[in-house]
Amino acid sequence: MLNKASPMTSSPATSYIASVDLMRGLVIVLMALDHVRGFFTEADFSATDLSRTDWALFLTRWITHLCAPTFVFLAGTSAFLSAARGMDRRQLASRLFTRGLWLVILEVTVVRFSWYFNLDYSQMSLQVIWALGWSMVVLSALSYLPLWAIASVGAVMIFGHNLLDGLDGIWLEEFQTAEGRLEWQGWLLSVLHIPHYPVIYPLIPWIGVMAAGYAFGPVMQWPLTARRKTALGCGILLIAAFVILRVYNGYGDPAPWSRQDTILFTLLSFVNTTKYPPSLLYLLMTLGLMFILLSAFEQAYGAQRAIGRFFITFGRVPLFFYLLHLYVIHGLALIIAYGMSGDIYSSSSQFPSWWGFGLPIVYLIWIGVVMLLYPVCTWFSAVKSRHKGRPWTPYI
């Protein structure tokens, strides 16, 4: 018997919800800022290292923390809404499984090459597309469960995975050879929870975020006012939980905050949570902000304004933008480096020590990249609309 809250028994006429694409568009543009910063900044240290950074560089990095949790959460929500538009459970599971594997393939081929511009597979970073892909594969199996069970899986992974923090180092050391190589048990732990090269995005927390997003799907079928208030309530609740847990420096993040020389830097320390893997506090902070923004974007006029339509354009083709913008940013960095030095660099890893620019130039390059790709994304969005329902459209 189908669960009453499953998409297969929900309203079959779920209409297009512009706020989801608007939210996706905003974070994909912010992600471009983070990648431009990574390729063009003059800072040779972590932007969140409070002993070396300044407030502007910190916040430039911090605001982009919103990106990955939003992508993964809304991918789960979009999966539910897709099913609610007439897809049965088997079709949904098949779509999630094949699209997830496709994303993993893209990560280790097209995405990897965009970062390194070489075929040396000793250089590899398994990041957000990898996590999205495998989370979809897992969700393809979870989708056969009742909605309450999927929500429970998501909650346990999000709220419980930091219980492993104290054991991670012990386990990883136990499963390393004398030469420092990981045995298969160590690789499995790395894939699931412990960041270790090349796995930058361990899967357990991200699977939980996607499952939570799927469980949130029915809310997005409610009338506009109801879902706007619910999203706002969820955002306030998550932010409040973040503040309470963070104040006491107890459970939820392996890196406690501390008093700094100034009030501003103390506040920066307070919000400087752990991304790899995403801690409970990191997810409460970022998903709380996502819910608040989503509530604001639910206003009837939001998608009708020019700025709303601008971000929606990117939100309709996020994977296309993601794949393209990495090549544009990396290629632009090599071109500018050649123009400044006359030397040809095969990738950014070969840039000289003098390479890099201050934040004003970084922001100008970011705006230039986004504006350059806007007409391309507008064109591709129109292509997808004309070919809606074709087998290839969900995969790019």
Side-chain angles (χ1 to χ4, degrees):
M1 179 179 295
L2 292 176
N3 181 273
K4 291 183 178 181
S6 75
M8 279 55 73
T9 58
S10 300
S11 172
T14 300
S15 59
Y16 171 70
I17 302 173
S19 60
V20 173
D21 279 343
L22 205 165
M23 189 73 231
R24 259 197 302 246
L26 173 64
V27 294
I28 196 72
V29 169
L30 287 176
M31 182 173 283
L33 171 61
D34 193 42
H35 295 158
V36 169
R37 179 195 59 81
F39 277 100
F40 286 94
T41 184
E42 63 186 358
D44 60 354
F45 51 84
S46 170
T48 55
D49 181 353
L50 294 178
S51 66
R52 305 184 67 183
T53 193
D54 59 65
W55 68 267
L57 181 59
F58 179 96
L59 292 178
T60 298
R61 170 58 173 160
W62 180 84
I63 192 60
T64 64
H65 284 341
L66 180 65
C67 301
T70 298
F71 278 137
V72 178
F73 186 92
L74 291 183
T77 302
S78 296
F80 182 96
L81 295 176
S82 294
R85 297 186 183 106
M87 191 180 298
D88 64 32
R89 198 182 299 276
R90 180 173 296 181
Q91 289 173 323
L92 173 64
S94 176
R95 169 75 64 83
L96 288 169
F97 184 81
T98 56
R99 192 165 191 262
L101 289 183
W102 172 240
L103 290 177
V104 173
I105 292 171
L106 287 178
E107 177 71 80
V108 299
T109 54
V110 178
V111 175
R112 197 216 72 87
F113 188 80
S114 70
W115 284 111
Y116 299 103
F117 277 6
N118 63 46
L119 297 177
D120 178 8
Y121 270 76
S122 66
Q123 296 178 296
M124 173 75 79
S125 298
L126 300 174
Q127 302 188 61
V128 66
I129 301 300
W130 150 276
L132 269 169
W134 285 118
S135 296
M136 284 184 181
V137 170
V138 175
L139 185 60
S140 70
L142 293 178
S143 65
Y144 285 96
L145 299 176
L147 201 62
W148 66 264
I150 300 173
S152 298
V153 169
V156 168
M157 287 186 170
I158 291 172
F159 285 88
H161 81 94
N162 282 117
L163 293 172
L164 304 175
D165 289 342
L167 301 175
D168 281 350
I170 298 173
W171 286 345
L172 201 60
E173 183 177 347
E174 181 178 348
F175 297 124
Q176 279 183 321
T177 65
E179 296 79 20
R181 293 191 297 270
L182 291 182
E183 299 174 349
W184 71 266
Q185 299 97 325
W187 281 113
L188 180 61
L189 288 171
S190 177
V191 167
L192 293 179
H193 194 257
I194 311 171
H196 188 280
Y197 180 84
V199 179
I200 310 300
Y201 277 62
L203 298 181
I204 285 180
W206 296 113
I207 292 170
V209 172
M210 186 172 288
Y214 184 91
F216 186 75
V219 174
M220 299 305 290
Q221 296 180 298
W222 295 354
L224 186 147
T225 300
R227 67 177 186 252
R228 179 173 60 83
K229 290 181 178 179
T230 301
L232 180 60
C234 288
I236 293 173
L237 181 63
L238 293 186
I239 294 295
F242 161 75
V243 171
I244 292 170
L245 289 174
R246 191 62 164 163
V247 162
Y248 290 101
N249 263 340
Y251 177 75
D253 198 289
W257 69 280
S258 61
R259 294 186 182 276
Q260 304 293 312
D261 293 337
T262 66
I263 294 176
L264 174 59
F265 268 72
T266 298
L267 289 174
L268 297 186
S269 176
F270 191 83
V271 299
N272 191 18
T273 51
T274 302
K275 182 178 181 179
Y276 306 108
S279 69
L280 168 61
L281 295 186
Y282 175 94
L283 292 173
L284 291 176
M285 175 181 71
T286 53
L287 291 177
L289 178 57
M290 179 209 71
F291 277 121
I292 292 171
L293 290 173
L294 193 63
S295 174
F297 295 159
E298 283 285 6
Q299 296 290 344
Y301 57 79
Q304 298 171 4
R305 292 186 172 183
I307 188 66
R309 295 194 299 272
F310 177 81
F311 287 116
I312 285 172
T313 297
F314 295 112
R316 285 175 173 166
V317 290
L319 180 58
F320 177 78
F321 177 89
Y322 183 89
L323 297 176
L324 195 58
H325 91 287
L326 288 173
Y327 282 90
V328 170
I329 293 170
H330 196 166
L332 186 61
L334 296 182
I335 292 171
I336 294 176
Y338 173 75
M340 294 176 65
S341 67
D343 294 328
I344 297 176
Y345 304 99
S346 62
S347 73
S348 60
S349 61
Q350 297 182 352
F351 283 173
S353 59
W354 53 260
W355 170 259
F357 304 91
L359 277 183
I361 300 299
V362 169
Y363 274 87
L364 284 175
I365 294 172
W366 168 56
I367 293 170
V369 168
V370 171
M371 298 310 297
L372 176 67
L373 292 180
Y374 178 73
V376 183
C377 290
T378 300
W379 164 79
F380 189 70
S381 178
V383 170
K384 287 191 70 174
S385 294
R386 288 197 301 270
H387 295 86
K388 188 175 182 179
R390 297 288 182 89
W392 60 268
T393 55
Y395 297 92
I396 191 66

